[in-house]
Amino acid sequence: MDEILLDVRGLTHRFRLNRRAVVRAVDGVSFQIRRGEVFGLVGESGSGKSTVARCVMNVYRPTSGQILYKGVNVCDPRQFRANRAMLQTTRQIIFQDSTSSLNQRMSVADIIAEPMAIHHIRPKRGTLRDEARFQLKYVGMDASYLDKYPSELSGGMRQRVAIARALSMEPELLVADEPIASLDVSIQAQIINLFRHLQEEHGFTFLFIAHDLSVVRYLCDRVGVMVAGKLVEVAPTAELFDNPLHPYTKALLSAIPIPDPRRERARTPYAFDPARFERDGELVEAAPGHLVLRKGGGAE
Amino acid sequence: MNGRQTEGKNNSPALLEVSNLSVSFDTPQGELQAVRGVSFALREGEVLALVGESGCGKSVLCKAVMKLLNRNARVKSGSVKVDGMDITNYRERDMERLRGKLFSMVLQDPMTSLNPTIPVGEQITEAVRVHEPKLSRAAVRARVLELMRLVGIEDPESRYRLYPHNFSGGMRQRSVLAIALASRPRMLFADEPTTALDVTIQAQILDLLREVQRKLGTATLLVSHDLGVVARVADRVAVMYAGRIVETGTAEEIFYDPRHPYTWGLLRSLPAWAEPGQPLYTIPGMPPTLIDPPRGDAFACRNKYALAIDYEEAPPMFEITPTHLAATWLCDPRAPKIAPPVGGEARG
């Protein structure tokens, strides 16, 4: 059995809007990610994917539930403090919007080297600047960009810098929150290839959040589908695409646009009414490794 | 130059005819040539899609036609004709009369194009009033409800008083479309109308665009970078690169028989075309800067099929069929024959 790197158990996060209204952004979500696996989390906007990512990264403190990273419950303040250095250096996140996630007043070299400076890590390659140069080269940019500022770079370049910054810590878990959603098609392909290459080379574990299923199909080993804060289906990628069980997954799969006029026009998307979505139920193993949310649970 | 006039051979008359249009921006670094000699025609009742990467001039082209450009932009050459009438030198006052009646626009993000403090029904009412000031109050209300039904907002009477924040993204985009259609425009410019929406909603909005277009006969110019979206609704496609239209044809011609290497690159980089286990195809290099653009074909340095002449002289539009044109020297009878790496039907 492979080692489980991240174990999310019954994660619930509520946002209190005012005295009465509470949004259950994430509601009892459980999943595991094994070491070296690319796990995709898909769902439409507002389904709670990003909230899960932020809870995993300790940006939010969940209302209830546990997140075990290497056996350490990151939601428990005492355990967090005891393992702070390990948690902060081995987990890294890449955000969707590189314009707001990079400090506009810092040069590319400083941005990439900042995590190392913060954690007082001695650069393997001499100086921090050499390290920044190395990481930049690794993501496919040359040294001439070291002294540029984020505003001088294109969207794809900025996203590469964000990736280089995350990689400078040599993380074990990389969380990517819609890293390619704001990029052009041809740039998207470059970044996806980069992720794939890095994953093959480093073998790091990946929580990849996306709404574009064709990308998920290409990149991920296993996929989890979320609707309205609930995880409704988890399965290996091929299994999910060949044999979707939950009605929402079917709707999502049928909505992937096909770049082929004749087939695209013949396609009728499978309708899914979120109002009639059944929130109750448990994840049941319908096939080996294939979990689906069903009412009343049922036998294993 | 590549401004050869070969459009408009189809039977239906051209509603909008843009010929050899060039737009430049004055920037501190110099003159940025955003649109460089673009010609196209939009006919009554068709959907023309404008495809290209960001920065290739798609949006500038739309704005130039509607004369909504910033002050630092200059229309250097070319003409814009509507119904055979030249509007190139129209002033703002003349344009105000045309906008709405003739063309409307739907923008990318419905959250920023609606006023968050005014109920949706009233925002549509406002649009109806501006264009038909003499309508009675009851008639205006009837028209608003009719518009809301047209764009698929069910139960419009009770939704009339709701605010944009009560609506989902898809419903907001429907409201924006209702506002755009309030003036019964003959042309609709849709700038990335589904980019901000979820995949499950995307197809609904596209089908709605198509349905409205069939019911009202509105000609639509759809700007998009998503070839899946384009495949669903477009009758004709124009591919733009570095301020020029490099290939234009019917949707079938562009998807099944693309001729320009840039179109090949765009199609091949889609994950839907990828072989499992193989890296995705990427177009090498970066788009050129449009301040002082390169001589010859702007795509040459990223094109592995580039010929020597590509670096010297910009290719004209070669005619493949009466509807299918491509600006690449590969279509010249003297050029070596290259089997296109894409075309045909997508997997999966």
PDB file of all heavy atoms in Angstrom, chain B residues 229-240:
ATOM      1  N   VAL B 229     -16.113  26.521 -27.885  1.00  0.00           N
ATOM      2  CA  VAL B 229     -17.226  27.463 -27.968  1.00  0.00           C
ATOM      3  C   VAL B 229     -17.506  27.810 -29.423  1.00  0.00           C
ATOM      4  O   VAL B 229     -18.643  27.803 -29.884  1.00  0.00           O
ATOM      5  CB  VAL B 229     -16.883  28.748 -27.181  1.00  0.00           C
ATOM      6  CG1 VAL B 229     -17.828  29.875 -27.511  1.00  0.00           C
ATOM      7  CG2 VAL B 229     -16.872  28.467 -25.698  1.00  0.00           C
ATOM      8  N   VAL B 230     -16.432  28.084 -30.140  1.00  0.00           N
ATOM      9  CA  VAL B 230     -16.554  28.477 -31.537  1.00  0.00           C
ATOM     10  C   VAL B 230     -17.192  27.349 -32.342  1.00  0.00           C
ATOM     11  O   VAL B 230     -18.078  27.576 -33.174  1.00  0.00           O
ATOM     12  CB  VAL B 230     -15.153  28.827 -32.088  1.00  0.00           C
ATOM     13  CG1 VAL B 230     -15.192  29.000 -33.581  1.00  0.00           C
ATOM     14  CG2 VAL B 230     -14.650  30.086 -31.418  1.00  0.00           C
ATOM     15  N   ALA B 231     -16.786  26.115 -32.058  1.00  0.00           N
ATOM     16  CA  ALA B 231     -17.317  24.977 -32.791  1.00  0.00           C
ATOM     17  C   ALA B 231     -18.820  24.857 -32.604  1.00  0.00           C
ATOM     18  O   ALA B 231     -19.529  24.400 -33.491  1.00  0.00           O
ATOM     19  CB  ALA B 231     -16.629  23.691 -32.331  1.00  0.00           C
ATOM     20  N   ARG B 232     -19.313  25.278 -31.437  1.00  0.00           N
ATOM     21  CA  ARG B 232     -20.733  25.113 -31.171  1.00  0.00           C
ATOM     22  C   ARG B 232     -21.601  26.105 -31.937  1.00  0.00           C
ATOM     23  O   ARG B 232     -22.662  25.744 -32.422  1.00  0.00           O
ATOM     24  CB  ARG B 232     -21.010  25.234 -29.673  1.00  0.00           C
ATOM     25  CG  ARG B 232     -22.411  24.805 -29.308  1.00  0.00           C
ATOM     26  CD  ARG B 232     -22.587  24.591 -27.830  1.00  0.00           C
ATOM     27  NE  ARG B 232     -23.911  24.033 -27.564  1.00  0.00           N
ATOM     28  CZ  ARG B 232     -24.165  22.732 -27.525  1.00  0.00           C
ATOM     29  NH1 ARG B 232     -23.223  21.870 -27.759  1.00  0.00           N
ATOM     30  NH2 ARG B 232     -25.388  22.308 -27.277  1.00  0.00           N
ATOM     31  N   VAL B 233     -21.183  27.355 -32.028  1.00  0.00           N
ATOM     32  CA  VAL B 233     -22.104  28.364 -32.567  1.00  0.00           C
ATOM     33  C   VAL B 233     -21.713  29.014 -33.883  1.00  0.00           C
ATOM     34  O   VAL B 233     -22.576  29.563 -34.557  1.00  0.00           O
ATOM     35  CB  VAL B 233     -22.369  29.499 -31.548  1.00  0.00           C
ATOM     36  CG1 VAL B 233     -23.134  28.987 -30.376  1.00  0.00           C
ATOM     37  CG2 VAL B 233     -21.100  30.153 -31.123  1.00  0.00           C
ATOM     38  N   ALA B 234     -20.447  28.970 -34.262  1.00  0.00           N
ATOM     39  CA  ALA B 234     -20.034  29.821 -35.379  1.00  0.00           C
ATOM     40  C   ALA B 234     -20.396  29.232 -36.737  1.00  0.00           C
ATOM     41  O   ALA B 234     -20.278  28.038 -36.961  1.00  0.00           O
ATOM     42  CB  ALA B 234     -18.534  30.066 -35.302  1.00  0.00           C
ATOM     43  N   ASP B 235     -20.872  30.108 -37.647  1.00  0.00           N
ATOM     44  CA  ASP B 235     -21.026  29.710 -39.043  1.00  0.00           C
ATOM     45  C   ASP B 235     -19.687  29.852 -39.745  1.00  0.00           C
ATOM     46  O   ASP B 235     -19.280  29.004 -40.511  1.00  0.00           O
ATOM     47  CB  ASP B 235     -22.035  30.618 -39.758  1.00  0.00           C
ATOM     48  CG  ASP B 235     -23.414  30.495 -39.153  1.00  0.00           C
ATOM     49  OD1 ASP B 235     -23.856  29.355 -38.967  1.00  0.00           O
ATOM     50  OD2 ASP B 235     -24.019  31.536 -38.851  1.00  0.00           O
ATOM     51  N   ARG B 236     -19.051  30.993 -39.482  1.00  0.00           N
ATOM     52  CA  ARG B 236     -17.742  31.231 -40.079  1.00  0.00           C
ATOM     53  C   ARG B 236     -16.758  31.597 -38.981  1.00  0.00           C
ATOM     54  O   ARG B 236     -17.148  32.097 -37.926  1.00  0.00           O
ATOM     55  CB  ARG B 236     -17.819  32.362 -41.107  1.00  0.00           C
ATOM     56  CG  ARG B 236     -18.552  31.952 -42.381  1.00  0.00           C
ATOM     57  CD  ARG B 236     -18.286  32.919 -43.509  1.00  0.00           C
ATOM     58  NE  ARG B 236     -18.618  34.274 -43.132  1.00  0.00           N
ATOM     59  CZ  ARG B 236     -17.794  35.311 -43.297  1.00  0.00           C
ATOM     60  NH1 ARG B 236     -16.604  35.141 -43.830  1.00  0.00           N
ATOM     61  NH2 ARG B 236     -18.165  36.518 -42.947  1.00  0.00           N
ATOM     62  N   VAL B 237     -15.481  31.352 -39.242  1.00  0.00           N
ATOM     63  CA  VAL B 237     -14.445  31.611 -38.258  1.00  0.00           C
ATOM     64  C   VAL B 237     -13.352  32.455 -38.911  1.00  0.00           C
ATOM     65  O   VAL B 237     -12.990  32.212 -40.062  1.00  0.00           O
ATOM     66  CB  VAL B 237     -13.823  30.284 -37.752  1.00  0.00           C
ATOM     67  CG1 VAL B 237     -12.753  30.546 -36.711  1.00  0.00           C
ATOM     68  CG2 VAL B 237     -14.887  29.362 -37.185  1.00  0.00           C
ATOM     69  N   ALA B 238     -12.859  33.460 -38.180  1.00  0.00           N
ATOM     70  CA  ALA B 238     -11.685  34.205 -38.631  1.00  0.00           C
ATOM     71  C   ALA B 238     -10.618  34.072 -37.554  1.00  0.00           C
ATOM     72  O   ALA B 238     -10.878  34.350 -36.391  1.00  0.00           O
ATOM     73  CB  ALA B 238     -12.040  35.666 -38.854  1.00  0.00           C
ATOM     74  N   VAL B 239      -9.447  33.596 -37.930  1.00  0.00           N
ATOM     75  CA  VAL B 239      -8.361  33.414 -36.972  1.00  0.00           C
ATOM     76  C   VAL B 239      -7.455  34.626 -37.059  1.00  0.00           C
ATOM     77  O   VAL B 239      -7.014  35.002 -38.144  1.00  0.00           O
ATOM     78  CB  VAL B 239      -7.556  32.135 -37.280  1.00  0.00           C
ATOM     79  CG1 VAL B 239      -6.456  31.936 -36.258  1.00  0.00           C
ATOM     80  CG2 VAL B 239      -8.475  30.928 -37.311  1.00  0.00           C
ATOM     81  N   MET B 240      -7.190  35.247 -35.910  1.00  0.00           N
ATOM     82  CA  MET B 240      -6.362  36.452 -35.902  1.00  0.00           C
ATOM     83  C   MET B 240      -5.025  36.176 -35.259  1.00  0.00           C
ATOM     84  O   MET B 240      -4.939  35.448 -34.276  1.00  0.00           O
ATOM     85  CB  MET B 240      -7.057  37.546 -35.109  1.00  0.00           C
ATOM     86  CG  MET B 240      -7.666  38.607 -35.971  1.00  0.00           C
ATOM     87  SD  MET B 240      -8.284  39.955 -34.985  1.00  0.00           S
ATOM     88  CE  MET B 240      -7.133  41.234 -35.438  1.00  0.00           C
TER      89      MET B 240
END
